[in-house]
Amino acid sequence: MNAKAFGACLVFAALFWPRAAPAADTPADAGRSIYLEGLLGSGAPLTARRSENSGVRGAAAACTNCHQRSGLGAREGRSVVPPIAARYLMRKIGKDDDDRNIPFVEGMRGERAPYTDQTLARAIREGVDSEGRALSYLMPRYELGDADMAALIGYLKRLDRRKVPGVGDTTLHLATIITPDADPVKRRGMLDVMTQFFTDRNDRQMATAPPLRSSGKTAYARSMNMVSRRWELHVWELTGPASTWQQQLERRLVAEPVFAVISGLGGSNWAPVHAFCEHSAVPCLFPNVEVPVDDDNDFYSIYFSKGVLLEAELIASRLLDAGDGGVARSVTQVYRAGDSGEAGAQALAALLERRGVRVVARALPAVANEESLAEAVQASAAADALVLWLRPADIAALGSPPSASTAVYMSGVLGGLERAPLPSGWRAATRLTYPYDLPDRRRVRVDYAFGWFTLRKIPMVAAQVQADTYLACGLLSETLQHMVDNFVREFLVERVRDTLEHRILTGYYPRLTLGTGQRFASKGGYLVRFADEKGSRVVADRDWIVP
């Protein structure tokens, strides 16, 4: 373990207090809880020490903090945390080894004697490697009884997934998921991009490449050669009520095993899809959804943005800012029942009511009705602020604006961003949430994708969704190149974080990062207003806001 990694463990010690937990039912459960949660088979917290006066307990001591969920280690700056999956710890060395093509992982030790169960237990307890040499003092010494030690070593052995679903000798199977309530125009745009990206990638990558040269001095020399696999896209279109989606997906996964889910498109409800990916341990990378699931305990689902949940945070940051005209005392929210705006309104209400703000919800019927819209707007006359979670058709039908004393906020995600058909009488008083970089600032980063669409004659019918889809496919391609045929689902999620850190072309977003435990790569946005009574030019009130 390197210095930064152990430092991270000490940070975790401050963030997590050891918690009691039920005793593990089986050795498999015990090994998993030790590795991932820092809990012994009895439910007591795991203890790890560098010295008698320095140590961590519970979640802060869990192996995953430094060696990752995959067990394949990590890089932090110039330091490398080595892999501890048993395949890398216990493999034999020599010309007769039948596993010389083990996939390369940065930090793997090629010339060290293989560990046995006994020497690995000694390393974990005493900090002595398989050849009797002292490990770095930064590697904690763990207090484990024989049963817990056996369970942990057993878990390290189970991290070796030699046969991964969706990975064939010549084909890599990937899925994209579309819910029944997804916008049909966005669906077309997304699938056009994905189909063409997969075709281009297969044409380019399936050409025979010359073998990589190496000195041949280590048993890992040949592991640097990657097998060219054709990507096959499976489009999983869901039907019927949301209560059936998870079962539909489970059946599809059995019939068409895939390595990961890439992109995808949802309407107002993505939760069953998110639950499927977490339960089935299938990476779900960057779906196009307005209402993602925000759960710190999940691992396999990663999003570009929080969507309407982030918009709620942006509005709350303004309404609760005492230095910006005073904290609002009453807020009226207008949304269509069952649409994504309902989730945004609920998130904003929770943030405001916690601070004593009175929030009134005006839920319009799902079917458009101009009369009910006008009534809801007029009912906001006495409120300090009016928040509109509406689609373009409703925005265009807005009647007279409220009084000048009522601040107006509108969802940019739902309304169409700078193309929102906001009537001229509303423009001066209305602030739009804008969880992307501004048009003039992102132009260079999206021009490449837009040019790619043009050259391939892909109609640009949903620019932001298509740009995000192209970005997601590109990130997957780059990440898989760095994985060097090490097809481990957890490793894919971990390596995506590293790829994001070095990505220059980030599309609609000024920056994309994913720290440990984070699910949303873009963290902020703007509040903007229209610059003129007509047109699409918007200007930000202030710099990028990270709520």
Side-chain angles (χ1 to χ4, degrees), residues 478-512:
E478 292 176 23
T479 302
L480 289 175
Q481 287 178 352
H482 293 142
M483 288 170 63
V484 194
D485 282 353
N486 211 330
F487 289 100
V488 175
R489 285 168 167 169
E490 293 76 11
F491 193 42
L492 172 63
V493 176
E494 294 159 4
R495 287 311 301 258
V496 163
R497 297 193 193 112
D498 297 333
T499 304
L500 280 170
E501 286 286 345
H502 303 97
R503 181 79 182 191
I504 297 175
L505 297 178
T506 53
Y508 268 60
Y509 309 95
R511 188 184 179 199
L512 296 172

Side-chain angles (χ1 to χ4, degrees), residues 335-391:
Y335 57 87
R336 288 283 174 193
D339 198 5
S340 301
E342 184 168 3
Q346 291 172 349
L348 178 57
L351 293 169
L352 297 179
E353 289 172 348
R354 210 176 297 155
R355 295 282 296 274
V357 179
R358 180 174 176 267
V359 181
V360 176
R362 299 289 180 180
L364 306 178
V367 179
N369 182 319
E370 291 187 16
E371 183 176 343
S372 61
L373 174 60
E375 292 174 353
V377 170
Q378 292 304 316
S380 68
D384 292 329
L386 168 65
V387 182
L388 303 174
W389 300 93
L390 300 174
R391 302 283 180 182

Side-chain angles (χ1 to χ4, degrees), residues 89 100 258 416 491:
L89 294 176
R100 297 183 69 191
V258 298
F491 193 42

Side-chain angles (χ1 to χ4, degrees), residues 290-294 306-314 343-344 347-348 351 389 520:
E290 296 167 343
V291 191
V293 177
D294 185 8
K306 276 189 178 182
V308 297
L309 306 181
L310 173 58
E311 290 188 293
E313 294 175 356
L314 291 171
L348 178 57
L351 293 169
W389 300 93
F520 303 100

Side-chain angles (χ1 to χ4, degrees), residues 49 67 81 139 153 202 265 366 420:
R49 298 189 181 280
H67 294 281
V81 180
M139 168 67 185
I153 293 174
N202 288 339
L265 184 65

